[in-house]
Coordinates of all heavy atoms in Angstrom, one line a residue:
Q17 N 0.8 -1.2 0.0 CA 0.0 0.0 0.0 C 0.9 1.3 0.0 O 0.4 2.3 -0.4 CB -0.9 0.0 1.2 CG -2.0 -1.0 1.2 CD -1.5 -2.4 1.5 OE1 -0.6 -2.6 2.3 NE2 -2.1 -3.4 0.7
T18 N 2.1 1.2 0.5 CA 3.0 2.3 0.5 C 4.3 1.9 -0.2 O 5.4 1.9 0.5 CB 3.3 2.8 1.9 OG1 3.8 1.7 2.7 CG2 2.0 3.2 2.6
P19 N 4.3 1.7 -1.5 CA 5.5 1.2 -2.2 C 6.4 2.3 -2.7 O 6.5 2.6 -3.8 CB 4.9 0.5 -3.4 CG 3.6 1.3 -3.7 CD 3.1 1.8 -2.4
W20 N 7.1 2.9 -1.7 CA 8.1 3.9 -2.0 C 9.2 3.9 -1.0 O 9.1 3.3 0.1 CB 7.5 5.3 -2.1 CG 6.6 5.6 -1.0 CD1 6.9 5.8 0.3 CD2 5.1 5.7 -1.1 NE1 5.8 6.1 1.0 CE2 4.7 6.0 0.2 CE3 4.2 5.7 -2.2 CZ2 3.3 6.2 0.5 CZ3 2.9 5.9 -1.9 CH2 2.5 6.2 -0.6
S21 N 10.3 4.6 -1.3 CA 11.5 4.7 -0.4 C 11.3 5.9 0.5 O 10.9 7.0 0.0 CB 12.8 4.8 -1.2 OG 13.8 5.1 -0.3
M22 N 11.6 5.8 1.8 CA 11.6 6.9 2.7 C 12.9 7.1 3.4 O 13.5 6.2 3.9 CB 10.5 6.7 3.8 CG 9.1 6.8 3.3 SD 7.9 6.8 4.6 CE 8.1 5.2 5.3
D23 N 13.4 8.3 3.4 CA 14.6 8.7 4.1 C 14.2 9.8 5.1 O 13.8 10.9 4.8 CB 15.7 9.3 3.1 CG 16.2 8.2 2.2 OD1 16.4 7.1 2.6 OD2 16.4 8.5 1.0
E24 N 14.4 9.4 6.4 CA 13.9 10.3 7.5 C 15.1 10.7 8.4 O 15.9 9.9 8.8 CB 12.8 9.6 8.3 CG 12.3 10.5 9.5 CD 11.2 9.8 10.3 OE1 10.8 8.7 9.8 OE2 10.9 10.3 11.3
N25 N 15.1 12.0 8.7 CA 16.0 12.5 9.8 C 15.3 13.6 10.5 O 14.2 13.9 10.2 CB 17.4 12.8 9.2 CG 17.3 13.9 8.1 OD1 16.5 14.8 8.2 ND2 18.1 13.7 7.1
L26 N 16.1 14.3 11.3 CA 15.5 15.4 12.1 C 15.0 16.5 11.1 O 13.9 17.2 11.4 CB 16.5 16.0 13.1 CG 16.0 17.2 13.9 CD1 14.9 16.8 14.8 CD2 17.2 17.7 14.7
M27 N 15.7 16.8 10.1 CA 15.4 17.9 9.2 C 14.2 17.7 8.3 O 13.4 18.6 8.1 CB 16.7 18.2 8.3 CG 16.4 19.3 7.3 SD 16.1 20.9 8.0 CE 17.8 21.3 8.6
H28 N 14.1 16.5 7.8 CA 13.0 16.2 6.8 C 12.8 14.8 6.6 O 13.5 13.9 7.1 CB 13.4 16.9 5.5 CG 14.3 16.0 4.6 ND1 15.5 15.5 5.0 CD2 14.1 15.5 3.4 CE1 16.0 14.8 4.1 NE2 15.2 14.8 3.0
I29 N 11.7 14.5 5.8 CA 11.5 13.2 5.3 C 11.4 13.3 3.8 O 10.7 14.2 3.3 CB 10.1 12.6 5.8 CG1 10.2 12.4 7.3 CG2 9.9 11.2 5.2 CD1 8.9 11.8 7.9
S30 N 12.0 12.4 3.0 CA 11.9 12.4 1.6 C 11.3 11.1 1.1 O 11.6 10.0 1.7 CB 13.2 12.7 0.9 OG 14.1 11.6 1.2
Y31 N 10.4 11.2 0.1 CA 9.8 10.0 -0.4 C 10.2 9.9 -1.9 O 10.0 10.9 -2.7 CB 8.3 10.0 -0.3 CG 7.8 10.3 1.1 CD1 7.7 11.6 1.6 CD2 7.4 9.2 1.9 CE1 7.2 11.8 2.9 CE2 6.9 9.5 3.2 CZ 6.8 10.8 3.7 OH 6.3 11.0 4.9
E32 N 10.6 8.7 -2.3 CA 11.0 8.6 -3.7 C 10.8 7.1 -4.1 O 10.5 6.3 -3.3 CB 12.5 8.9 -4.0 CG 12.8 10.4 -3.8 CD 14.3 10.6 -4.1 OE1 15.2 9.9 -3.6 OE2 14.6 11.6 -4.8
A33 N 10.9 6.9 -5.4 CA 10.8 5.5 -6.0 C 9.4 5.0 -6.0 O 8.5 5.6 -5.6 CB 11.8 4.6 -5.3
G34 N 9.3 3.7 -6.4 CA 8.0 3.1 -6.4 C 7.0 3.8 -7.4 O 7.4 4.2 -8.4
I35 N 5.8 3.9 -6.9 CA 4.8 4.5 -7.8 C 5.0 6.0 -7.9 O 4.4 6.6 -8.8 CB 3.4 4.3 -7.2 CG1 3.2 4.9 -5.8 CG2 3.0 2.8 -7.2 CD1 1.8 4.8 -5.3
L36 N 5.9 6.6 -7.1 CA 6.2 8.0 -7.2 C 7.0 8.3 -8.4 O 7.2 9.5 -8.8 CB 6.9 8.5 -6.0 CG 6.1 8.5 -4.7 CD1 6.9 9.0 -3.5 CD2 4.8 9.3 -4.8
E37 N 7.6 7.3 -9.1 CA 8.4 7.5 -10.3 C 7.5 8.0 -11.4 O 8.0 8.5 -12.4 CB 9.1 6.2 -10.6 CG 10.2 5.9 -9.6 CD 11.0 4.6 -9.9 OE1 10.6 3.9 -10.9 OE2 12.0 4.4 -9.2
N38 N 6.2 7.8 -11.3 CA 5.3 8.4 -12.3 C 4.9 9.8 -11.7 O 4.3 9.9 -10.7 CB 4.0 7.6 -12.4 CG 3.0 8.1 -13.4 OD1 3.1 9.3 -13.8 ND2 2.0 7.4 -13.7
P39 N 5.4 10.9 -12.4 CA 5.2 12.2 -11.9 C 3.8 12.8 -12.0 O 3.5 13.8 -11.4 CB 6.1 13.1 -12.8 CG 6.2 12.3 -14.1 CD 6.1 10.9 -13.7
K40 N 2.8 12.0 -12.6 CA 1.5 12.5 -12.8 C 0.6 12.5 -11.5 O 0.0 13.5 -11.2 CB 0.8 11.8 -13.9 CG -0.5 12.4 -14.3 CD -1.1 11.7 -15.5 CE -2.5 12.4 -15.8 NZ -3.1 11.7 -17.0
P41 N 0.6 11.3 -10.8 CA -0.3 11.3 -9.6 C 0.0 12.2 -8.6 O 1.2 12.4 -8.3 CB -0.2 9.8 -9.1 CG 0.4 9.1 -10.3 CD 1.2 10.0 -11.0
R42 N -0.9 12.9 -7.9 CA -0.7 13.8 -6.9 C -0.4 13.1 -5.6 O -1.0 12.1 -5.3 CB -1.9 14.7 -6.6 CG -2.2 15.7 -7.8 CD -3.4 16.5 -7.5 NE -3.3 17.2 -6.3 CZ -4.4 17.8 -5.7 NH1 -5.6 17.6 -6.2 NH2 -4.2 18.5 -4.6
A43 N 0.6 13.6 -4.8 CA 1.0 12.9 -3.6 C 0.4 13.6 -2.4 O 0.4 13.2 -1.3 CB 2.5 13.0 -3.4
G44 N -0.2 14.8 -2.6 CA -0.9 15.5 -1.5 C -2.3 15.9 -1.9 O -2.8 15.4 -2.9
G45 N -2.9 16.8 -1.1 CA -4.2 17.2 -1.5 C -5.2 16.2 -1.2 O -5.2 15.5 -0.2
V46 N -6.2 16.0 -2.1 CA -7.3 15.1 -1.8 C -7.2 13.8 -2.6 O -8.1 13.0 -2.6 CB -8.6 15.8 -2.3 CG1 -8.9 17.0 -1.4 CG2 -8.6 16.2 -3.7
S47 N -6.0 13.5 -3.2 CA -5.9 12.3 -3.9 C -5.7 11.1 -2.9 O -5.6 11.3 -1.7 CB -4.6 12.4 -4.8 OG -3.4 12.3 -4.0
S48 N -5.7 9.9 -3.5 CA -5.6 8.7 -2.6 C -4.2 8.6 -1.9 O -4.1 8.0 -0.9 CB -5.8 7.5 -3.5 OG -4.8 7.4 -4.5
L49 N -3.2 9.3 -2.5 CA -1.9 9.2 -1.9 C -1.8 10.1 -0.6 O -0.9 10.0 0.2 CB -0.8 9.7 -2.8 CG -0.5 8.8 -4.0 CD1 0.6 9.4 -4.9 CD2 -0.2 7.4 -3.6
C50 N -2.8 11.1 -0.5 CA -2.7 12.0 0.6 C -2.7 11.3 2.0 O -2.0 11.7 2.9 CB -3.9 13.0 0.5 SG -4.0 14.2 1.9

């Protein structure tokens, strides 16, 4: 359900890879990824 890579530290979290490699789907807002 969450097929992506996460790198977390005190400063930030970054999400990459998996289904995020398709730049079209929204990752925030009201989409299913939100």
Side-chain angles (χ1 to χ4, degrees):
Q17 290 74 38
T18 58
W20 45 67
S21 169
M22 289 189 295
D23 294 319
E24 177 181 353
N25 56 39
L26 178 66
M27 176 65 73
H28 85 303
I29 299 178
S30 64
Y31 305 86
E32 293 182 314
I35 62 174
L36 296 179
E37 290 179 353
N38 180 349
K40 185 176 180 179
R42 293 176 59 194
V46 296
S47 74
S48 60
L49 292 181
C50 178

